[in-house]
Coordinates of all heavy atoms in Angstrom, one line a residue:
H17 N -8.8 6.9 -0.1 CA -9.0 6.8 -1.5 C -7.7 6.4 -2.3 O -7.4 6.9 -3.4 CB -9.5 8.2 -2.0 CG -10.8 8.6 -1.3 ND1 -12.0 7.9 -1.6 CD2 -11.0 9.5 -0.4 CE1 -12.9 8.5 -0.8 NE2 -12.3 9.4 -0.1
L18 N -6.9 5.6 -1.7 CA -5.7 5.0 -2.3 C -5.8 3.5 -2.1 O -6.5 2.9 -1.3 CB -4.5 5.5 -1.6 CG -4.2 7.0 -1.8 CD1 -3.1 7.5 -0.9 CD2 -3.9 7.4 -3.3
W19 N -5.0 2.8 -2.9 CA -5.0 1.3 -3.0 C -3.7 0.8 -2.3 O -2.6 1.3 -2.5 CB -5.0 0.8 -4.4 CG -6.2 1.2 -5.1 CD1 -6.6 2.4 -5.6 CD2 -7.3 0.3 -5.5 NE1 -7.8 2.3 -6.2 CE2 -8.2 1.0 -6.2 CE3 -7.5 -1.1 -5.3 CZ2 -9.4 0.5 -6.6 CZ3 -8.7 -1.6 -5.7 CH2 -9.6 -0.9 -6.4
W20 N -3.9 -0.1 -1.3 CA -2.8 -0.8 -0.7 C -2.0 -1.6 -1.8 O -2.6 -2.0 -2.8 CB -3.2 -1.7 0.4 CG -3.7 -0.9 1.6 CD1 -2.9 -0.2 2.5 CD2 -5.0 -0.8 2.1 NE1 -3.6 0.4 3.4 CE2 -4.9 0.0 3.3 CE3 -6.2 -1.3 1.7 CZ2 -6.1 0.4 4.0 CZ3 -7.4 -1.0 2.5 CH2 -7.3 -0.2 3.6
R21 N -0.8 -1.8 -1.5 CA 0.1 -2.4 -2.5 C -0.4 -3.8 -3.0 O -0.6 -4.1 -4.1 CB 1.5 -2.6 -2.0 CG 2.4 -3.2 -3.0 CD 3.9 -3.2 -2.5 NE 4.7 -3.7 -3.6 CZ 5.1 -4.9 -3.6 NH1 4.9 -5.8 -2.6 NH2 5.8 -5.4 -4.6
D22 N -0.7 -4.7 -2.0 CA -1.4 -6.0 -2.3 C -1.9 -6.5 -0.9 O -1.7 -5.8 0.1 CB -0.5 -6.9 -3.0 CG 0.8 -7.3 -2.3 OD1 0.8 -7.6 -1.0 OD2 1.9 -7.3 -2.9
Q23 N -2.4 -7.7 -0.9 CA -3.1 -8.1 0.3 C -2.1 -8.3 1.5 O -2.4 -8.3 2.6 CB -3.8 -9.4 0.1 CG -3.0 -10.6 -0.3 CD -3.9 -11.8 -0.7 OE1 -5.0 -11.6 -1.1 NE2 -3.3 -13.0 -0.7
D24 N -0.8 -8.5 1.2 CA 0.2 -8.6 2.2 C 0.6 -7.3 2.8 O 1.3 -7.2 3.8 CB 1.5 -9.3 1.6 CG 1.3 -10.7 1.2 OD1 0.4 -11.4 1.8 OD2 2.0 -11.1 0.3
F25 N 0.1 -6.2 2.2 CA 0.4 -4.9 2.7 C -0.8 -4.1 3.3 O -0.7 -2.9 3.5 CB 1.1 -4.1 1.6 CG 2.5 -4.6 1.3 CD1 2.6 -5.7 0.4 CD2 3.6 -4.2 1.9 CE1 3.8 -6.2 0.1 CE2 4.9 -4.7 1.6 CZ 5.0 -5.8 0.7
D26 N -1.9 -4.8 3.4 CA -3.1 -4.3 4.1 C -2.7 -4.0 5.5 O -1.8 -4.7 6.1 CB -4.2 -5.3 4.0 CG -4.9 -5.3 2.7 OD1 -4.4 -4.8 1.7 OD2 -5.9 -6.0 2.6
P27 N -3.4 -3.2 6.2 CA -3.2 -3.1 7.7 C -3.5 -4.5 8.3 O -4.3 -5.2 7.8 CB -4.3 -2.1 8.1 CG -4.6 -1.3 6.9 CD -4.4 -2.2 5.7
P28 N -2.7 -4.8 9.3 CA -1.9 -3.9 10.1 C -0.5 -3.5 9.6 O 0.2 -2.8 10.3 CB -1.8 -4.7 11.4 CG -1.8 -6.1 11.0 CD -2.6 -6.2 9.8
Y29 N -0.1 -3.9 8.4 CA 1.2 -3.6 7.9 C 1.3 -2.1 7.8 O 0.4 -1.4 7.3 CB 1.4 -4.2 6.5 CG 2.8 -3.8 6.0 CD1 3.9 -4.5 6.3 CD2 2.9 -2.6 5.2 CE1 5.2 -4.0 5.8 CE2 4.1 -2.2 4.7 CZ 5.2 -2.9 5.0 OH 6.4 -2.5 4.5
V30 N 2.4 -1.5 8.2 CA 2.7 -0.1 8.0 C 4.1 0.1 7.5 O 5.0 -0.8 7.7 CB 2.5 0.7 9.3 CG1 1.0 0.8 9.7 CG2 3.3 0.2 10.4
E31 N 4.4 1.2 6.9 CA 5.7 1.6 6.4 C 6.6 1.9 7.7 O 6.1 2.1 8.8 CB 5.6 2.8 5.5 CG 4.9 2.6 4.2 CD 5.8 1.9 3.2 OE1 6.8 1.2 3.6 OE2 5.5 1.9 2.0
P32 N 7.9 2.1 7.5 CA 8.8 2.4 8.6 C 8.3 3.7 9.3 O 8.6 3.8 10.5 CB 10.1 2.6 7.9 CG 10.1 1.7 6.7 CD 8.6 1.8 6.2
N33 N 7.6 4.6 8.7 CA 7.2 5.8 9.4 C 5.8 5.6 10.1 O 5.3 6.6 10.6 CB 7.2 7.0 8.4 CG 6.1 7.0 7.4 OD1 5.3 6.0 7.3 ND2 5.9 8.0 6.7
G34 N 5.3 4.4 10.0 CA 4.0 4.2 10.7 C 2.8 4.4 9.8 O 1.6 4.2 10.3
Q35 N 2.9 4.8 8.6 CA 1.8 5.0 7.7 C 1.5 3.8 6.8 O 2.3 2.9 6.7 CB 2.1 6.2 6.7 CG 2.4 7.5 7.4 CD 1.2 8.1 8.1 OE1 0.1 8.1 7.5 NE2 1.3 8.5 9.3
D36 N 0.3 3.8 6.3 CA -0.1 2.7 5.4 C 0.8 2.7 4.1 O 1.3 3.7 3.7 CB -1.6 2.9 4.9 CG -2.6 2.5 6.0 OD1 -2.2 1.8 6.9 OD2 -3.8 2.8 5.8
C37 N 0.9 1.5 3.6 CA 1.8 1.3 2.4 C 0.9 1.4 1.1 O 0.2 0.6 0.8 CB 2.4 -0.1 2.4 SG 3.5 -0.4 1.0
Y38 N 1.1 2.6 0.5 CA 0.5 2.8 -0.8 C 1.6 3.0 -1.9 O 2.4 3.9 -1.9 CB -0.3 4.1 -0.8 CG -1.5 4.1 0.2 CD1 -1.4 4.9 1.3 CD2 -2.5 3.2 0.1 CE1 -2.5 4.9 2.2 CE2 -3.5 3.1 1.0 CZ -3.5 4.0 2.1 OH -4.5 4.0 3.0
W39 N 1.7 2.0 -2.7 CA 2.7 1.9 -3.7 C 2.4 2.8 -4.9 O 1.3 2.7 -5.5 CB 2.8 0.5 -4.2 CG 3.9 0.1 -5.0 CD1 5.2 0.5 -5.0 CD2 3.9 -1.0 -6.0 NE1 6.0 -0.2 -5.9 CE2 5.2 -1.1 -6.6 CE3 2.9 -1.8 -6.5 CZ2 5.5 -2.0 -7.6 CZ3 3.2 -2.7 -7.5 CH2 4.5 -2.8 -8.0
S40 N 3.2 3.8 -5.2 CA 2.9 4.8 -6.2 C 2.6 4.1 -7.6 O 1.7 4.5 -8.3 CB 4.0 5.9 -6.3 OG 5.2 5.3 -6.8
R41 N 3.5 3.2 -8.0 CA 3.3 2.6 -9.3 C 1.9 1.9 -9.4 O 1.2 2.0 -10.4 CB 4.4 1.6 -9.6 CG 4.4 1.1 -11.0 CD 5.6 0.4 -11.4 NE 6.3 -0.4 -10.3 CZ 7.2 -1.3 -10.6 NH1 7.7 -1.5 -11.8 NH2 7.8 -2.0 -9.6
G42 N 1.6 1.1 -8.4 CA 0.3 0.4 -8.4 C -0.9 1.4 -8.4 O -1.9 1.2 -9.1
N43 N -0.8 2.5 -7.6 CA -1.9 3.5 -7.7 C -1.9 4.1 -9.0 O -3.0 4.5 -9.5 CB -1.7 4.5 -6.5 CG -2.4 4.0 -5.3 OD1 -3.5 4.2 -5.0 ND2 -1.6 3.3 -4.5
G44 N -0.8 4.3 -9.6 CA -0.7 4.9 -11.0 C -1.4 4.0 -12.0 O -2.1 4.5 -12.9
W45 N -1.2 2.7 -11.9 CA -1.9 1.7 -12.8 C -3.4 1.8 -12.6 O -4.1 1.9 -13.6 CB -1.4 0.3 -12.5 CG 0.0 0.0 -12.9 CD1 0.7 0.6 -13.9 CD2 0.8 -0.9 -12.3 NE1 2.0 0.1 -13.9 CE2 2.1 -0.9 -13.0 CE3 0.7 -1.9 -11.3 CZ2 3.2 -1.7 -12.7 CZ3 1.7 -2.7 -11.0 CH2 3.0 -2.6 -11.6

């Protein structure tokens, strides 16, 4: 129930800790 940052950050992209990239500012918008 969160939004990936943009199409370049959809899986299989992950953050350095191995989790999905959910940008707080974008989810806030």
Side-chain angles (χ1 to χ4, degrees):
H17 305 287
L18 295 170
W19 294 76
W20 287 292
R21 182 174 183 259
D22 60 47
Q23 66 188 22
D24 294 332
F25 294 86
D26 285 8
Y29 176 86
V30 292
E31 291 284 19
N33 72 351
Q35 299 291 314
D36 283 343
C37 180
Y38 301 114
W39 190 35
S40 63
R41 187 169 36 169
N43 275 272
W45 291 332

